[in-house]
Amino acid sequence: PFRNQISHFVGREKVYLPLRPDGIFAFSKHQGSATLCLLETDRATMPVNAPRPLKKQSFIRSSIYKKLVAYWRALETEQFKNHYGVNAILILFVTTSQARIQEMQAVLSDAKGAAGAKKSEGHFLFGCQNAMCAETIFSYLWLRGDGQYKALL
């Protein structure tokens, strides 16, 4: 039920990028506003960046860059808001190391530019799996796409 896709133009060629989070959950604050969280679990098996120069074939193979472009496009077109009915959306990337997080952060703004997005990098949060557990997921200090640290609650 969480599978979706979004269109994206690479030059004049249209590609369809999959949107398939590994998990999805929402939480509500005491005022009743909900935050939708889309979870991506990265085992460091796929490349972070896409082959350059970017062309349609760059998006055939899986990469973190491809996922980031897809999420940026979905945020920009308000696809999640329209599909799930919530305004607040966070995309959580849980990965294997701080070095991998730095690689992801390095391509985040590049993916934003490719997607033509204007939304805040604060929608993206990055965390290291060996530093968190289920009991601390809400108090864990996630590294936001804008470089700030933030707990979910």
Side-chain angles (χ1 to χ4, degrees), residues 23-145:
I24 186 169
F25 63 95
F27 59 90
S28 170
K29 295 189 177 178
H30 63 299
Q31 299 95 350
S33 62
T35 299
L36 177 69
C37 296
L38 304 170
L39 178 65
E40 286 288 342
T41 54
D42 173 57
R43 295 174 293 158
T45 57
M46 73 172 63
V48 172
N49 218 331
R52 306 297 172 146
L54 284 179
K55 49 190 173 189
K56 188 174 182 177
Q57 292 79 6
S58 302
F59 290 94
I60 291 173
R61 192 167 159 219
S62 292
S63 69
I64 298 299
Y65 180 84
K66 178 180 172 179
K67 288 182 181 217
L68 290 170
V69 170
Y71 280 119
W72 275 120
R73 291 284 305 135
L75 286 169
E76 199 63 24
T77 60
E78 298 190 339
Q79 184 167 331
F80 297 128
K81 179 182 176 183
N82 296 335
H83 190 75
Y84 297 108
V86 294
N87 291 322
I89 297 169
L90 296 173
I91 298 124
L92 311 171
F93 278 83
V94 177
T95 190
T96 56
S97 69
Q98 291 297 329
R100 184 94 170 157
I101 289 172
Q102 290 175 346
E103 286 182 69
M104 290 180 185
Q105 286 236 287
V107 300
L108 182 64
S109 62
D110 202 23
K112 179 181 182 177
K118 294 176 180 34
K119 303 269 184 186
S120 166
E121 287 86 353
H123 288 283
F124 294 87
L125 283 76
F126 301 91
C128 193
Q129 67 188 16
N130 63 2
M132 69 175 79
C133 62
E135 293 81 27
T136 63
I137 193 167
F138 291 105
S139 61
Y140 176 81
L141 290 178
W142 296 82
L143 178 59
R144 292 176 18 154

